[in-house]
Amino acid sequence: MRLLSICLLWAGLWAGAATAQTCHISVQGILRGEETAAPLPYASIQIKELKQGVYTDSLGRFVFDNLCPGTYTFICDHVACQHLESVKTVSNDVKTINFTLKHHQHHLDQIEIEGYKNGPPSTQAVDQLQGQTLKELAGKQLGDMLSEIPGVTSLKTGPTISKPIIHGLHSNRVVILNNGIRQEGQQWGSEHAPEIDPFIANKLTVIKGANSLRYGPGAIGGVVLVEVDDLPDSVGVSGKVQVGGQSNGRIGAVSGQIEGRVPNTRPLSWRLQGTLKKGGNQHTPDYYLDNTGLTEQNFSANVKRETFSQGTDVFYSRFYSEIGILFPAHIGGLSDFLAALNAAQPAGSDTVGFTYGLKRPYQEITHHLAKVKQYWRIEDIGTLNAIYSLQRNRRREFDKHKPRGADANGEEKAELDFKITTHNMEVSLEHELNAQVEGIAGMSGLYQYNVLVGRPFIPNYVLIGGEAFLIERWKSKYLDLEAGIRYDYRWVNSTKEFAGIDVFSIREYKSYSANVGGIWKIGRGLRATFNAGRAWRPPHVNELFSDGLHHGAAAVEKGDSTLIPEQAIKLVAGFEYTGHGFNAQVTAYQQWFQNFIFKRPAGIERTVRGAFPTFQYAQTPAELRGVDATVRYDFPFGLGLITKGAYLRAWNTGSDEPLIFMPPNWISQGIAIRTKDKKSYLRIEWKHVFEQKLVPISENPNETDWLPPPPAYNLVNLTAGTQMQIGKNVLDIHLAVDNAMNEVYRNYLNTFRYYADEVGRNIRVNLTYNFN
């Protein structure tokens, strides 16, 4: 392993990834108008995946040369016709493809021309996972998928729960948008993973910056966009089936999607999608982890009807999961807890085997999301959007001990039963003043209430919010500038019972966010982005009033009712160079906080349910700064090299010491080999995670971590894949081996590192079959 690590480290210094090779299929066709069947001259046709385009000649003919077999999205535009995106399969047997466009309706006094454009590039640091990468990672948790991006790590609670950390910030400081809707759940807990099915996404986008202007005060750390593919705009039915399996935990997942466009109606497109997933006890290199299985049953539906002047988009999704909580994390007494901290492996783990069954403690989560979007294109003004969304989230947490009985519906009572309902309405106007200036203005309202049944932990509350924002952008050939401002108001009424009497606490928060940024297109493949933003975040109810045992986290949490809103300023600068087979992306950032809210260790508390580590919410000025980098080089003979890494320094400037529970630094080196036809590849990656040495040291034993950070470790990961043509359809096959050397290690950001090692070697197989 050491020799392999040294070789990979040396190779990674070249940087890069697999290179594309030339393919030899020529596709030709004719573009015609639907009403007259006449050829359409001088129209634009692009292949979305390849970012290549041609124009039709005077007879409507076009040719694409040097294509590989596969499925492509062809984008057709003509000045007199409606925009068309059509998915077609190219193979040695399919070399002729024709397209038909509908003409715009013409009137004596006006002409309507339909067109679409992508949004302008962000002035903030942006990374994306899509295409082949998503297929490779299929079946993983959302947080684990996003941790492939430098600057993004994963906060874990055992092997089945993870959530993203962006530049050291997570939970209520990171906004996750599910198909354009801000995800509203119990995201404040370290073991509260996003209630989102990653199979629904065709692209995952991470915006690394204080993006509060567009998404509200919760985006003080960053934004994750879970983006679905556009609904089809050509008549017919297509879809895909994804099947995945993992050796560790014997996890299996199947996800299917079918979509189409209804003929002979006003343009109506639709999509149905569903996922089933099940896994059992996972294991470290030396023993099984008791009660670490999971089950998921997810479903979504989308219908869209649109014309050039207006459209309606309706979306619904249901996410359901049952997640086992590591059994040894719920300790009996103080002596058992201290013994667990010093044990090489959990007590009784030698008698644990594999099972799909779940037992206490476990979680049961159900999340419903419904969205209705209506838009109108207004001549000489822009596009007016109105979006209403409703979310209902129920989280039930069961501890290790006997049930508390059944409720009126016959359901087993949970120790913690959260029910949160969120109504949100947003109206926005996208406008373009001229060829150089465009922007968006909007306002929204929020009504949310959360009810807790069971043992007291956080109070019930009602949240009412309102906000307004304005963002403007100026564009030129070499420089884009963007600036904006936002005002937010929050009113929170929380209720908690003391001695049989309801006690109300009403709090109001209001402040503004501001941002300025730009993109400098330097030339010769080099560009720079810069961004400066001022953001804020009010304390959440759990940070103010938590008081008791949080079963899923196996910890006691105590809030502080004197907390005040966080204020932050963040500077981000990014550089990107592409050319001659070389690509480099570097992002540097610095963020200053007033009143940074964090959890610090506060000793061990003995309860009737056992002994648990205790955390106290506190507040301090803080400073976070770091660098993310990805460097890659593509050789012309199919060999690629890539280097990635992330550095973070998080400091408590109030006490002049490091902030606790911050991500350690890491670096990875990879080698990839791709066949000449680009259909098959092999990649080897070595990743080194450094020991987190920046931790606070306190003379008070009740304010120190119960275990020091674990030592550094190395992981070797292998990935291989190929693409097969089956008639007119395509089958993608991906094989991966995570932790190939079966390394024994513990992750500093896993809240259960006090009790057990991380999982060992895991072999993953993912199959994706696209059909038309």
Side-chain angles (χ1 to χ4, degrees):
M1 174 182 174
R2 182 171 298 175
L3 178 60
L4 176 61
S5 300
I6 293 173
C7 292
L8 289 172
L9 178 60
W10 175 85
L13 296 177
W14 290 89
T19 183
Q21 297 296 321
T22 304
C23 296
H24 305 288
I25 297 177
S26 292
V27 172
Q28 60 184 348
I30 298 177
L31 184 66
R32 299 180 183 274
E34 181 179 76
E35 289 79 3
T36 64
L40 297 174
Y42 315 119
S44 167
I45 302 180
Q46 300 180 54
I47 297 180
K48 184 177 181 180
E49 290 78 7
L50 302 181
K51 297 182 180 179
Q52 296 180 6
V54 298
Y55 287 95
T56 59
D57 62 14
S58 60
L59 298 178
R61 298 174 300 191
F62 64 90
V63 177
F64 283 97
D65 294 318
N66 301 323
L67 295 185
C68 300
T71 301
Y72 301 99
T73 304
F74 290 84
I75 303 174
C76 307
D77 286 290
H78 187 269
V79 66
C81 298
Q82 296 182 13
H83 171 93
L84 172 68
E85 292 191 21
S86 181
V87 178
K88 300 291 185 182
T89 299
V90 173
S91 68
N92 290 320
D93 299 324
V94 180
K95 298 183 179 179
T96 301
I97 299 176
N98 299 318
F99 298 102
T100 302
L101 298 187
K102 292 183 178 181
H103 284 82
H104 294 302
Q105 293 183 357
H106 295 265
H107 304 276
L108 292 176
D109 58 345
Q110 67 178 16
I111 297 177
E112 289 187 344
I113 300 176
E114 180 177 3
Y116 298 87
K117 65 178 181 178
N118 295 323
S122 174
T123 62
Q124 306 209 41
V126 175
D127 287 275
Q128 293 180 332
L129 299 176
Q130 57 186 324
Q132 175 182 292
T133 304
L134 277 186
K135 295 174 184 176
E136 292 176 8
L137 299 173
K140 282 193 167 187
Q141 303 294 321
L142 180 64
D144 291 333
M145 297 171 72
L146 295 172
S147 63
E148 297 290 320
I149 297 174
V152 183
T153 44
S154 179
L155 180 65
K156 300 177 70 68
T157 303
T160 54
I161 301 173
S162 68
K163 61 194 311 180
I165 305 175
I166 302 176
H167 290 168
L169 305 175
H170 59 84
S171 300
N172 288 327
R173 298 189 186 97
V174 173
V175 166
I176 300 178
L177 266 70
N178 183 0
N179 194 13
I181 299 300
R182 173 174 169 149
Q183 188 81 2
E184 296 286 353
Q186 309 288 348
Q187 67 264 41
W188 43 268
S190 62
E191 87 298 357
H192 296 178
E195 303 91 349
I196 296 176
D197 178 9
F199 281 104
I200 202 174
N202 82 312
K203 181 167 59 177
L204 298 175
T205 301
V206 174
I207 303 174
K208 306 172 185 175
N211 210 335
S212 298
L213 280 188
R214 187 65 184 87
Y215 305 113
I220 198 169
V223 179
V224 175
L225 307 179
V226 180
E227 302 177 77
V228 302
D229 203 0
D230 293 334
L231 290 176
D233 56 7
S234 58
V235 174
V237 176
S238 61
K240 64 180 178 181
V241 176
Q242 293 179 270
V243 179
Q246 301 182 38
S247 64
N248 201 321
R250 304 180 196 177
I251 300 173
V254 58
S255 182
Q257 174 180 298
I258 187 169
E259 61 186 15
R261 191 173 179 93
V262 179
N264 302 322
T265 68
R266 293 179 60 191
L268 178 66
S269 302
W270 57 272
R271 176 184 294 135
L272 298 174
Q273 182 269 345
T275 300
L276 297 174
K277 184 176 181 181
K278 190 172 183 64
N281 282 350
Q282 300 183 51
H283 60 80
T284 74
D286 300 318
Y287 52 88
Y288 275 96
L289 297 167
D290 193 9
N291 199 42
T292 52
L294 76 160
T295 298
E296 285 188 19
Q297 300 169 7
N298 309 318
F299 169 78
S300 68
N302 196 182
V303 177
K304 185 176 183 180
R305 169 170 280 177
E306 62 179 344
T307 64
F308 174 75
S309 59
Q310 63 178 306
T312 304
D313 188 350
V314 179
F315 174 81
Y316 168 78
S317 68
R318 176 189 182 271
F319 176 93
Y320 175 82
S321 68
E322 294 179 5
I323 305 173
I325 302 298
L326 182 69
F327 193 79
H330 285 244
I331 305 298
L334 178 60
S335 59
D336 297 328
F337 177 76
L338 297 176
L341 293 180
N342 297 304
Q345 63 186 59
S349 58
D350 53 338
T351 63
V352 177
F354 178 82
T355 178
Y356 281 109
L358 293 181
K359 60 183 178 182
R360 286 171 168 263
Y362 72 96
Q363 300 177 355
E364 180 187 88
I365 304 103
T366 305
H367 188 93
H368 299 273
L369 184 153
K371 176 188 85 168
V372 179
K373 176 181 179 180
Q374 177 72 37
Y375 72 83
W376 301 267
R377 291 191 177 95
I378 305 173
E379 186 177 357
D380 298 328
I381 296 179
T383 301
L384 179 65
N385 302 289
I387 303 175
Y388 168 75
S389 65
L390 168 65
Q391 296 181 67
R392 295 187 185 276
N393 180 284
R394 186 181 187 188
R395 166 177 290 272
R396 305 173 75 215
E397 299 187 5
F398 301 84
D399 74 3
K400 186 177 180 179
H401 300 276
K402 292 181 179 180
R404 300 173 57 241
D407 60 19
N409 298 321
E411 291 184 316
E412 184 179 293
K413 289 184 178 179
E415 276 61 47
L416 294 175
D417 190 343
F418 303 96
K419 299 176 184 177
I420 183 171
T421 301
T422 306
H423 299 267
N424 189 277
M425 183 71 189
E426 178 182 300
V427 178
S428 64
L429 176 64
E430 301 174 46
H431 55 273
E432 187 171 350
L433 301 181
N434 53 50
Q436 287 186 298
V437 179
E438 64 182 14
I440 181 172
M443 59 178 57
S444 64
L446 170 72
Y447 177 72
Q448 181 180 92
Y449 58 93
N450 197 351
V451 177
L452 170 64
V453 178
R455 200 170 287 115
F457 181 68
I458 65 171
N460 301 330
Y461 69 86
V462 174
L463 167 64
I464 298 176
E467 50 266 329
F469 64 90
L470 173 66
I471 304 172
E472 295 293 332
R473 189 183 188 103
W474 175 83
K475 302 176 293 182
S476 69
K477 183 176 180 181
Y478 297 107
L479 181 66
D480 289 7
L481 294 177
E482 184 178 80
I485 191 166
R486 179 186 181 100
Y487 177 83
D488 289 275
Y489 172 81
R490 293 288 186 271
W491 180 89
V492 184
N493 183 358
S494 56
T495 309
K496 195 167 186 178
E497 181 181 302
F498 288 97
I501 301 175
D502 288 338
V503 178
F504 297 91
S505 175
I506 298 177
R507 295 168 185 253
E508 286 186 293
Y509 305 102
K510 50 191 173 183
S511 189
Y512 74 95
S513 305
N515 190 85
V516 62
I519 302 174
W520 180 21
K521 291 157 276 189
I522 302 172
R524 295 182 179 273
L526 178 64
R527 76 170 194 165
T529 61
F530 55 93
N531 194 277
R534 190 261 190 197
W536 74 290
R537 182 184 74 90
H540 194 269
V541 170
N542 74 298
E543 295 166 326
L544 293 166
F545 301 116
S546 292
D547 186 16
L549 176 60
H550 197 178
H551 302 279
V556 174
E557 297 181 12
K558 295 184 178 295
D560 182 351
S561 61
T562 66
L563 297 177
I564 60 177
E566 293 178 331
Q567 308 282 351
I569 294 176
K570 187 169 186 178
L571 305 179
V572 183
F575 298 90
E576 180 178 0
Y577 173 76
T578 302
H580 307 290
F582 184 78
N583 177 267
Q585 293 177 297
V586 179
T587 301
Y589 60 92
Q590 179 138 355
Q591 191 164 15
W592 295 271
F593 276 89
Q594 294 181 24
N595 311 314
F596 180 80
I597 299 173
F598 69 106
K599 286 193 303 185
R600 60 172 178 80
I604 301 171
E605 184 167 320
R606 284 169 284 188
T607 73
V608 295
R609 300 284 174 172
F612 296 93
T614 301
F615 296 91
Q616 173 70 57
Y617 283 98
Q619 203 159 36
T620 183
E623 179 182 318
L624 289 79
R625 64 171 178 261
V627 178
D628 314 325
T630 300
V631 184
R632 52 193 301 163
Y633 185 75
D634 298 334
F635 291 94
F637 48 83
L639 177 67
L641 304 172
I642 182 168
T643 300
K644 296 191 293 186
Y647 167 82
L648 169 66
R649 183 182 186 273
W651 204 257
N652 183 335
T653 56
S655 58
D656 194 24
E657 62 181 357
L659 282 171
I660 197 168
F661 303 134
M662 285 291 167
N665 304 321
W666 62 271
I667 187 171
S668 72
Q669 317 289 333
I671 300 176
I673 302 172
R674 190 176 293 273
T675 58
K676 188 175 181 179
D677 61 4
K678 297 196 306 182
K679 294 173 63 176
S680 303
Y681 71 94
L682 171 66
R683 184 170 64 248
I684 305 174
E685 179 196 40
W686 168 81
K687 183 175 183 179
H688 178 78
V689 180
F690 295 89
E691 179 181 346
Q692 179 56 283
K693 295 185 177 181
L694 292 178
V695 293
I697 300 175
S698 174
E699 296 181 358
N700 186 344
N702 290 326
E703 295 182 357
T704 58
D705 199 355
W706 299 274
L707 281 180
Y713 55 89
N714 298 291
L715 298 177
V716 176
N717 303 313
L718 310 176
T719 310
T722 190
Q723 186 179 87
M724 299 174 59
Q725 194 78 28
I726 303 177
K728 296 182 179 181
N729 302 321
V730 177
L731 175 65
D732 288 295
I733 303 173
H734 297 280
L735 173 67
V737 184
D738 302 324
N739 191 8
M741 306 306 294
N742 215 24
E743 177 91 351
V744 177
Y745 71 102
R746 296 198 179 189
N747 182 350
Y748 179 60
L749 294 177
N750 191 331
T751 57
F752 286 168
R753 68 179 174 89
Y754 304 112
Y755 314 106
D757 298 328
E758 295 293 320
V759 297
R761 183 184 298 114
N762 184 28
I763 301 173
R764 297 184 289 111
V765 179
N766 292 309
L767 309 177
T768 302
Y769 180 69
N770 294 277
F771 60 89
N772 294 296

